[in-house]
Structures are given as structure tokens and as C-alpha cells.
């Protein structure tokens, strides 16, 4: 009876330790996601017409503020998907992400945006456009890899940002969906049928969703010159 009691107690302690580690990983993952949401909100609030007009990334054609507003409002629907302010925010975040550096001071080439994925309906059921996948953070199974410092309690996870815009908001509002889970590595088992670069199993430990609107949307709406 004593042995059975001790075995039961040890098993309960083991299960409790596993659940505690999982809970701590989820808390860290949600904290990282919330940090990025705040970063996007700050970027969007700073993205007024003057910022767009002076940006070589967002305004390579040197359009005036009036032209920028009319570009978004007056373009044909098939073009607005790439010309709406939501698409501008995607490009701005892409530019910021490419300039991120890891804790060792080196450019982290593993966190570059992937091409838009076509089977978008598995992530955004109502999205008429493509979904852009951005890898925000990689972990690593190799202790000599700088990304090893990003592991959550010694486990390799990847944080991805999935973004799209739709015609219901004139392609101006950016829809952002976050996932953190075990990375999908071709040839090392698992599947990635939805194209988010994560394993399609129960490895997802955190998810979140947010919508963000650049400040230029309100400026154009208040401008009498916009169509």
C-alpha cells in the first residue's frame, strides 16, 4: 500500500510539473504576441499621410497626399487589394522585420517574410486576398545557434504573424492572426498543410487575433479631396 501511494504521489507530481511548464510556456508565448500587437498598433498610429508620402518603401512613386488617398479610394477593386492602407501596413511591417537584429547583434535571416500562401481559407475563412506569413521568432535545437536563446523553457517554438486585408474594409484594415508552435521542417516529420510554417498537430501553444487600421485611413476620410 505504501508503494502504491508513493507511486501515485510521484505520478501526480510529474503531471503537475508538466502542466506547470506548459502553462509557463503559454504565458511567455502570449506575452510575446501581446508585445507584437502593441508594436503593430504603434506602427499603424504613426502611419499618417505625411509618413507614407515621405517613405521610399510605401511611396516609391512620390505621390502627393491627395494622390495617395485617391489611389486607395479610386483604384479598381482588383488593384485596391495591393494599394489599400492595410497593404501599406504589411509592407511597413515587412521593412521593420527585415531590420530586426537578434540579441547577438547580427541580422537574423531566418525571420524573413514568406510568399503569400494560397490555401488561405484554412486560416482566414472570409479573406478574398492572399495571406502573408511572417516569421517573428525562431527557436533552435542547436545550442550554438543564436536563436537557441529564444526557446521557451528549453523547447524550440516559432512565432508567426499571418496577415491579410479584405474588401469589407476597403482593404484598409489589416487583419492579423498569431500562432506559436513547433516549427515545421521538411523531411523531419509532421505536416504543414495550411502553409503557416508550423507543424499541423497539437504543438500550437498560443493563438491570437487583432485588427489594425493605419492613421492615414482617418485622414483620408476627413479630406474633402478624396474620392
Amino acid at each position: 500500500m505504501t508503494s502504491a501511494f508513493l507511486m501515485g504521489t510521484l505520478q501526480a507530481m510529474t503531471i503537475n510539473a508538466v502542466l506547470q511548464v506548459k502553462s509557463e510556456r503559454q504565458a511567455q508565448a502570449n506575452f510575446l504576441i501581446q508585445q507584437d500587437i502593441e508594436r503593430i498598433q504603434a506602427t499603424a498610429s504613426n502611419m499618417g499621410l505625411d509618413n507614407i508620402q515621405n517613405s521610399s518603401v510605401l511611396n516609391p512613386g512620390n505621390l502627393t497626399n491627395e494622390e495617395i488617398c485617391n489611389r486607395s479610394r479610386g483604384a479598381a477593386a482588383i488593384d485596391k487589394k495591393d494599394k489599400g492602407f492595410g497593404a501599406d501596413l504589411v509592407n511597413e511591417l515587412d521593412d521593420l522585420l527585415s531590420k530586426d537584429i537578434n540579441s547577438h547583434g547580427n541580422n537574423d535571416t531566418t525571420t524573413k517574410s514568406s510568399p503569400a500562401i494560397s490555401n488561405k481559407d484554412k486560416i482566414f475563412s472570409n479573406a478574398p486576398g492572399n495571406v502573408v506569413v511572417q516569421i517573428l521568432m525562431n527557436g533552435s535545437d542547436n545550442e550554438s545557434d543564436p536563436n537557441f536563446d529564444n526557446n521557451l523553457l528549453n523547447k524550440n517554438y516559432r512565432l508567426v504573424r499571418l496577415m491579410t486585408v479584405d474588401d469589407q474594409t476597403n482593404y484598409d484594415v489589416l487583419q492579423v492572426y498569431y500562432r506559436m508552435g513547433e516549427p515545421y521542417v521538411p523531411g523531419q516529420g509532421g505536416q504543414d498543410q495550411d502553409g503557416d510554417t508550423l507543424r499541423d498537430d497539437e504543438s500550437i501553444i498560443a493563438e491570437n487575433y487583432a485588427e489594425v487600421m493605419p492613421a492615414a485611413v482617418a485622414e483620408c476620410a476627413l479630406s474633402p479631396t478624396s474620392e
Side-chain angles (χ1 to χ4, degrees):
M1 290 179 63
T2 302
S3 298
F5 175 77
L6 289 175
M7 290 181 62
T9 301
L10 289 173
Q11 185 177 20
M13 292 174 62
T14 301
I15 293 174
N16 182 65
V18 170
L19 292 176
Q20 184 174 356
V21 169
K22 182 178 180 180
S23 177
E24 290 181 11
R25 284 178 178 146
Q26 290 174 330
Q28 290 183 22
N30 284 314
F31 174 75
L32 291 170
I33 290 173
Q34 188 58 42
Q35 275 190 320
D36 195 71
I37 290 175
E38 293 174 0
R39 179 185 187 185
I40 290 182
Q41 290 172 337
T43 302
S45 65
N46 290 327
M47 191 181 288
L49 282 174
D50 289 341
N51 298 77
I52 295 176
Q53 202 275 327
N54 295 321
S55 170
S56 59
V57 174
L58 304 179
N59 186 26
N62 293 318
L63 301 178
T64 65
N65 287 354
E66 179 181 348
E67 289 170 333
I68 291 171
C69 286
N70 290 335
R71 172 211 65 179
S72 178
R73 296 296 190 274
I78 193 172
D79 295 324
K80 285 163 67 177
K81 190 185 305 179
D82 296 323
K83 295 179 178 179
F85 290 114
D88 283 339
L89 185 51
V90 172
N91 291 331
E92 179 72 0
L93 294 170
D94 221 7
D95 187 56
L96 291 174
L97 188 63
S98 68
K99 295 175 182 176
D100 278 351
I101 58 174
N102 58 35
S103 58
H104 294 256
N106 302 313
N107 290 328
D108 187 358
T109 57
T110 63
T111 55
K112 290 184 177 180
S113 296
S114 300
I117 60 178
S118 58
N119 48 349
K120 58 192 178 301
D121 293 337
K122 294 184 179 180
I123 300 174
F124 291 93
S125 59
N126 299 319
N130 288 324
V131 175
V132 175
V133 180
Q134 292 180 332
I135 298 175
L136 301 182
M137 188 193 79
N138 273 311
S140 177
D141 295 317
N142 183 357
E143 292 187 15
S144 63
D145 185 339
N147 285 321
F148 185 81
D149 294 340
N150 296 330
N151 286 0
L152 301 186
L153 298 180
N154 298 319
K155 190 170 179 64
N156 178 7
Y157 284 102
R158 173 179 291 167
L159 175 60
V160 296
R161 181 202 286 153
L162 309 159
M163 303 185 294
T164 191
V165 293
D166 67 40
D167 55 358
Q168 299 300 312
T169 59
N170 202 47
Y171 302 104
D172 285 340
V173 176
L174 179 63
Q175 300 169 311
V176 191
Y177 182 42
Y178 292 92
R179 282 179 177 169
M180 177 169 272
E182 296 179 24
Y184 169 70
V185 181
Q188 295 188 13
Q191 292 182 318
D192 178 24
Q193 295 182 346
D194 55 11
D196 64 358
T197 76
L198 303 177
R199 290 170 60 100
D200 293 334
D201 53 24
E202 297 181 358
S203 73
I204 306 298
I205 62 171
E207 297 179 274
N208 208 334
Y209 175 78
E211 294 185 353
V212 189
M213 183 173 66
V217 178
E219 292 181 31
C220 284
L222 296 173
S223 172
T225 59
S226 61
E227 296 181 1

